[in-house]
Amino acid sequence: MTTTTKTNKYSYVKVIQGNFGHGWEDVSTYDKQDYHLVKNDLKEYRLSNTGAYRVVNRRVLNKQ
């Protein structure tokens, strides 16, 4: 008898996006668990660059 383990088809990542006048563009991508790293990098982007920044959650397909 063989046993199979169910793998998740999708995983979730956090993406920092910047708007520089031409729409939202991805700047950096992080694993979902790296919340503190995302928070610190977002703060650094906002202090050192011009434009608006936001964090979005994105569902991505896992490679099988």
Side-chain angles (χ1 to χ4, degrees), residues 11-15 29-32 56-60:
S11 63
Y12 293 90
V13 295
K14 292 193 177 284
V15 178
T29 304
Y30 304 89
D31 288 331
K32 187 177 179 181
V56 296
N57 294 318
R58 182 173 293 157
R59 185 173 74 169
V60 294

Side-chain angles (χ1 to χ4, degrees), residues 5-64:
T5 58
K6 183 179 178 182
T7 58
N8 292 334
K9 193 172 184 179
Y10 298 100
S11 63
Y12 293 90
V13 295
K14 292 193 177 284
V15 178
I16 295 178
Q17 293 182 332
N19 188 343
F20 308 105
H22 302 288
W24 293 101
E25 300 175 17
D26 291 354
V27 178
S28 300
T29 304
Y30 304 89
D31 288 331
K32 187 177 179 181
Q33 295 83 12
D34 295 336
Y35 175 74
H36 295 292
L37 183 59
V38 173
K39 187 176 173 182
N40 289 336
D41 286 353
L42 180 64
K43 183 178 178 181
E44 290 295 323
Y45 279 124
R46 286 180 174 165
L47 289 175
S48 63
N49 297 324
T50 60
Y53 293 91
R54 69 180 181 183
V55 176
V56 296
N57 294 318
R58 182 173 293 157
R59 185 173 74 169
V60 294
L61 184 64
N62 286 335
K63 294 180 181 179
Q64 302 286 340

